[in-house]
Amino acid sequence: MIEKKSSNRILYGWMVIVIVGLLIGIWGAVYTLIRGLGPWGVTDQIPWGIVTAAYVFFVAASAGCITVSLGHALGIKGFELIIKRAVFLAIITLFAGGILIVLHLGSPIQAYYLLISPNVGSPLGWMVIFYTLYLVLLVIDFSLLHKNDVKKARVIGIIAPLAAIGVHSTLGAVFGFAVARPFYGGAFAPVYFVLIAIIIGTALVLFVTTLQFSVSKSEMSTEFRRVTATLAKFLALALGVAVLFTFWRDVTGLHSTVDSTAYQHSLSLWWYWAIVILLGLIIPLFLFLNRRTRTPNGILVGSFLVLIGMFAARMDYTIGGLIEPMLEDLKHLEHGSPAQYSASFAEIAVVMLAVSLTALLYMWGTKKLALKEVPHHS
Amino acid sequence: MSKSNGNEISRRDFLKGGVLGGTAGIMSAVTGGPAKAQSSISGKKLAMVIDLRRCVGCGACMIACKNENNVQENVAWASRISRTVGRFPYPKYEYMPTLCNHCEKAPCVKGCPTGAMHKADGDITMHSPGKCIGCRYCITNCPYGVIHFNEEGKHRFWSNDKPLIENGTASAREVTQKARGRVLPYYNPARELSNPGTGIRRKGIVEKCTFCDHRLIKGELPYCVEACPTDARIFGDLNDPNSEVNQILSKFNSRRLKEDLGTEPKVFYVREFNQGSYEKTKGMV
C-alpha cells in the first residue's frame, strides 16, 4: 500500500514535469511558426543547430528499434515481451522527429514541394521517402501486434528494418555528401549513422523498460531479465564499435593532411570528453560488460548514460562539422575562429516539445494500448 | 542607341541584337564587350574572370550588389577574402573579391530536395524562392559559404509609427500600408523581370547571387561588373571561343577557389592583387 502511494507520487511528479515541458514546447513551436527562425541561434555559418541534432537523435531512436524488431522476427526467445513497446516507441519517436524537422524548416508551408517537385539526386528527398515508408510500416506492424497477429507482424518485422536502415543511412548521406566538410565522414557517414541508430534505439528500449519496472517497484521476471541482459550485451558490442569509430575519426582528423579545425575544436571541449566519451561510451560499456552490473538497475543507469552521451555526440557532430567557415574572410568579419553557436531558448523549447511529447505519448500508450501484453508466438 | 538604328523597333527588340545580322558587331563596338550584345542567355556558359592586378580592393562590387539586389545588413551576396600574411618587415596584404561561383557541378543544386536550387539559362546556379522549404542544406553543402538564409521579413523601419516630421510627413507604417506591403528596401522590381513574384525578398528561404540575371536578359552586365571602377571583373560566355573571358584565360594562369573539390567553379582569378618584385639573387642561406 505504502509502496503504491510512493509510486503514484512519482507518477504525478513525472506528469507535472512532462506537462510543463510540453507547455514550454508548445510555446516554442508557436513562437517559431510566428516569428520564423530569426530568434533561433542558427546563423548562415551554423545553419543547423540543436534542433537538427535532436532530429537526428529521434530518428536514430526510431530506426534503432530494428534490433528488437529483427530479434522478434527471427524468433529469439523473450523478444515477444518487448517487441510491442519497441515498435510503439519507434512510432512516437519518429513522429516527434517529424515535428522537429518541420519546425526546423524556414518555410514549412512550402514543404509540399518535396512531393510535387522532388529532386531524385538529393539525399534529403530520399530521406523523406524512407521516413514516410518506415512510418507506414511501423503503424502496420503495431496494429498487427495489437491484434496479436504475430505471424504477419514478423513478416513486417523483416521489411521494416530495411526501411529503418534506409531512413537513417540516407540521413547519414545528407551529412556525408557535404564534400567541403570532411568532419562529417564522407562515404562512411551512412554506415556510422546506422550504428548510431542501433545504439540509441536499443538504449531507449532498455531505458524505458527498466525505468517502468523501477518506478512501479515491481520485480522483473526471469524472462524479462534475460531479454534485457541479451540486449545490454548487444548494446555493449555496438558501443565497442562506436568507441573504435570515434577513436579513428579523431585520430584521422588530427592527421596532418586534413584540415583539423573541427576535430581540434571537438577535442578541446570538456563535455566532449566528459559526456560523449566517458559517460556516453566508456562507463556504459563497462556497466554492460560486467556481469555484476548487468542488472536491471545497472542497465537503467547505463542506458540513460548512453542516451545522454549520444545526444551530446549528435550536437558535437552536427555543429562541429559547421564551425569552420568556408571562406577565410568570414572568420574575421563576423565571428571569432571557429564560428560560435549557442542554442536559443526557442530552440531548446522545441526540443523539449519532442522529448515531453514522446514521454506523454508513451505513458498514454502504456495505459491504453497494453504495451506489456505478450503477443503469442505462432 | 536605339535612335542610331533608324528603324521602328523598340529598345528591347534592339537589345535582342544577337538575332539581327550585323547588330552584334555594332553592339560590340559600342559597348566594348560581346556580353552586352547578347540578349538571350540560353545555351551560354556564363563565367566571370576577376583580374586581381586591376582590383584595388575598394569594395564597390559589394556596395553595388547591395544596391542592385536590396540585400540587407549582415548578408553579402558579393563578399571578399582579405588577409594580411607574413611578418614585419615583410608583411603582405591580400584581397580577393568573392561571389557565388555558379559551379558547373554545384553541390547546392545536387543536394536541394525540391529542385529550388537549379541550373538555369546561361548555366547560372539559380534559386526559385517559390519552391524553397528553407531546410538550409544548400548552406551546409556550399563549399564557399555564399548562400544566405533570409531570417528577416520587412525591415523593422517599415513598422515604425513615428513620422519623420510631426504633422509633416507620413510615418513609415503608413507608407507600408499605402504600398500594400511592397516597400523598399526588400522590394526589387528588377528581379520581377527574370523571376516573376520574387521582387519581394521573402523571409524563411535562402538566397544568393544570381549573376544579376534580370540585367542579363536585358543585355546588360551584372551590376558588380558594371560598377567596378577599374574593370577588374570581366564577364562573358565560356562557350564562345572569342569571348573576352576566354581571351583572358588564354593569356594568364588562372585559378579558382577550392578546385580540388571538383565543383568546377565559373569564377576565375588571374594575376595577383599585390604586384611584388624582388632583387635577383642566387638565394640565401
Side-chain angles (χ1 to χ4, degrees):
Chain A
M1 193 66 197
I2 298 165
E3 269 186 9
K4 183 140 196 196
K5 231 179 200 173
S6 79
S7 147
N8 272 346
R9 207 175 294 156
I10 292 174
L11 197 68
Y12 286 134
W14 179 238
M15 277 297 277
V16 169
I17 293 172
V18 168
I19 286 169
V20 168
L22 196 70
L23 289 176
I24 294 173
I26 290 169
W27 170 82
V30 173
Y31 183 69
T32 301
L33 287 174
I34 293 170
R35 289 283 304 273
L37 303 189
W40 281 26
V42 290
T43 57
D44 280 347
Q45 285 170 58
I46 313 246
W48 291 348
I50 189 171
V51 178
T52 320
Y55 170 73
V56 175
F57 181 87
F58 272 86
V59 176
S62 179
C65 156
I66 57 173
T67 46
V68 181
S69 197
L70 273 178
H72 180 246
L74 296 173
I76 299 174
K77 203 165 175 272
F79 276 71
E80 69 275 6
L81 293 171
I82 49 169
I83 177 69
K84 205 171 171 187
R85 76 184 63 196
V87 173
F88 187 70
L89 270 173
I91 293 173
I92 58 176
T93 44
L94 200 62
F95 176 68
I99 290 174
L100 288 173
I101 202 69
V102 168
L103 288 171
H104 143 282
L105 295 178
S107 291
I109 208 156
Q110 296 196 150
Y112 62 91
Y113 273 99
L114 288 166
L115 297 173
I116 63 170
S117 168
N119 174 12
V120 288
S122 167
L124 241 164
W126 283 103
M127 187 201 71
V128 174
I129 292 170
F130 280 117
Y131 181 99
T132 317
L133 182 69
Y134 185 45
L135 191 59
V136 170
L137 284 172
L138 282 174
V139 171
I140 295 173
D141 199 9
F142 187 78
S143 61
L144 288 171
L145 286 169
H146 199 57
K147 285 185 218 153
N148 285 347
D149 193 348
V150 181
K151 208 173 173 187
K152 281 188 194 153
R154 279 167 75 176
V155 176
I156 301 286
I158 298 280
I159 306 168
L162 296 176
I165 291 171
V167 68
H168 218 247
S169 60
T170 39
L171 184 53
V174 168
F175 288 91
F177 279 12
V179 283
R181 303 181 187 275
F183 186 77
Y184 283 150
F188 297 104
V191 186
Y192 177 61
F193 267 56
V194 173
L195 174 73
I196 295 300
I198 288 170
I199 292 173
I200 298 177
T202 313
L204 186 67
V205 172
L206 280 175
F207 174 67
V208 168
T209 309
T210 46
L211 184 71
Q212 259 183 309
F213 277 99
S214 173
V215 169
S216 65
K217 294 207 169 22
S218 51
E219 193 63 34
M220 220 182 229
S221 66
T222 326
E223 288 87 28
F224 250 114
R225 273 175 175 267
R226 195 180 300 137
V227 72
T228 47
T230 310
L231 271 181
K233 274 189 255 179
F234 180 74
L235 184 54
L237 174 72
L239 284 174
V241 180
V243 168
L244 206 61
F245 248 107
T246 311
F247 173 79
W248 281 114
R249 188 195 69 169
D250 290 345
V251 171
T252 310
L254 294 178
H255 207 257
S256 59
T257 49
V258 185
D259 193 334
S260 58
T261 314
Y263 301 92
Q264 280 174 359
H265 179 70
S266 275
L267 297 175
S268 69
L269 298 167
W270 70 266
W271 58 264
Y272 179 76
W273 290 103
I275 301 178
V276 177
I277 304 292
L278 195 66
L279 289 183
L281 292 173
I282 308 294
I283 293 179
L285 185 62
F286 282 108
L287 283 176
F288 296 147
L289 281 179
N290 191 338
R291 183 193 278 269
R292 274 180 302 173
T293 49
R294 207 163 50 225
T295 56
N297 279 339
I299 292 172
L300 175 66
V301 173
S303 54
F304 178 69
L305 290 180
V306 169
L307 291 176
I308 297 292
M310 275 290 151
F311 188 84
R314 291 315 93 223
M315 286 282 286
D316 173 61
Y317 179 84
T318 310
I319 296 150
L322 299 166
I323 56 161
E324 198 179 339
M326 289 286 97
L327 287 182
E328 197 74 24
D329 71 325
L330 297 173
K331 283 182 186 175
H332 306 298
L333 274 179
E334 288 176 23
H335 296 286
S337 172
Q340 301 290 318
Y341 165 81
S342 47
S344 65
F345 186 68
E347 284 167 285
I348 295 168
V350 166
V351 176
M352 281 168 80
L353 174 68
V355 175
S356 45
L357 194 66
T358 307
L360 202 70
L361 283 175
Y362 187 77
M363 284 155 78
W364 174 81
T366 331
K367 256 205 149 50
K368 301 282 176 192
L369 297 173
L371 296 180
K372 281 179 188 168
E373 193 181 305
V374 188
H376 302 293
H377 258 279
S378 54
Chain B
M1 281 193 297
S2 54
K3 276 179 193 165
S4 70
N5 193 306
N7 294 329
E8 282 190 4
I9 53 171
S10 69
R11 176 187 160 85
R12 193 186 176 96
D13 285 338
F14 177 73
L15 286 168
K16 287 177 185 164
V19 290
L20 297 171
T23 315
I26 299 166
M27 286 295 289
S28 271
V30 173
T31 61
K36 282 188 180 175
Q38 296 153 349
S39 60
S40 168
I41 52 174
S42 62
K44 293 189 168 66
K45 200 196 270 187
L46 296 171
M48 190 181 288
V49 176
I50 299 178
D51 185 344
L52 295 174
R53 183 70 198 95
R54 282 187 185 168
C55 177
V56 291
C58 66
C61 42
M62 292 163 66
I63 304 293
C65 177
K66 279 184 177 282
N67 283 347
E68 180 66 18
N69 296 297
N70 295 317
V71 184
Q72 78 269 42
E73 55 210 304
N74 297 327
V75 173
W77 290 5
S79 185
R80 84 281 188 273
I81 298 169
S82 63
R83 60 187 160 200
T84 307
V85 289
R87 294 171 64 180
F88 181 81
Y90 300 113
K92 177 181 167 234
Y93 180 62
E94 288 177 358
Y95 188 97
M96 203 178 206
T98 58
L99 66 158
C100 170
N101 286 284
H102 296 275
C103 309
E104 271 181 60
K105 296 175 183 167
C108 57
V109 173
K110 287 185 179 178
C112 180
T114 62
M117 200 67 89
H118 62 280
K119 294 304 280 185
D121 280 353
D123 208 30
I124 296 173
T125 305
M126 188 57 75
H127 180 249
S128 301
K131 283 186 184 176
C132 182
I133 60 172
C135 68
R136 313 189 288 297
Y137 186 36
C138 48
I139 303 182
T140 305
N141 234 340
C142 175
Y144 306 103
V146 292
I147 305 176
H148 302 273
F149 181 72
N150 192 7
E151 287 175 350
E152 290 179 54
K154 290 190 287 286
H155 195 280
R156 54 190 174 278
F157 167 77
W158 294 106
S159 43
N160 194 349
D161 276 326
K162 212 176 157 202
L164 203 62
I165 303 165
E166 280 302 328
N167 302 322
T169 62
S171 73
R173 187 190 283 276
E174 282 168 339
V175 175
T176 312
Q177 282 161 357
K178 280 264 160 64
R180 283 177 293 166
R182 296 163 78 86
V183 287
L184 290 170
Y186 300 139
Y187 180 60
N188 185 354
R191 293 278 318 128
E192 292 272 355
L193 266 177
S194 59
N195 213 341
T198 61
I200 292 180
R201 295 178 44 241
R202 284 205 8 243
K203 177 183 176 177
I205 56 170
V206 300
E207 52 182 42
K208 61 180 271 300
C209 158
T210 60
F211 260 170
C212 283
D213 67 323
H214 58 281
R215 292 174 59 87
L216 295 176
I217 57 170
K218 290 192 290 179
E220 294 170 346
L221 288 166
Y223 201 51
C224 57
V225 179
E226 192 73 59
C228 181
T230 57
D231 294 338
R233 292 186 176 221
I234 301 103
F235 188 76
D237 179 13
L238 284 177
N239 284 342
D240 174 8
N242 294 318
S243 67
E244 203 178 345
V245 284
N246 274 329
Q247 288 179 34
I248 292 169
L249 290 175
S250 74
K251 279 185 191 139
F252 302 102
N253 289 340
S254 64
R255 59 197 181 279
R256 295 173 288 179
L257 291 170
K258 300 187 182 178
E259 273 179 285
D260 53 320
L261 294 176
T263 51
E264 300 287 331
K266 291 212 302 301
V267 174
F268 298 81
Y269 296 90
V270 294
R271 304 204 283 179
E272 293 292 331
F273 180 73
N274 193 330
Q275 190 196 32
S277 68
Y278 60 97
E279 271 181 46
K280 252 186 186 176
T281 68
K282 285 288 180 198
M284 281 200 294
V285 178

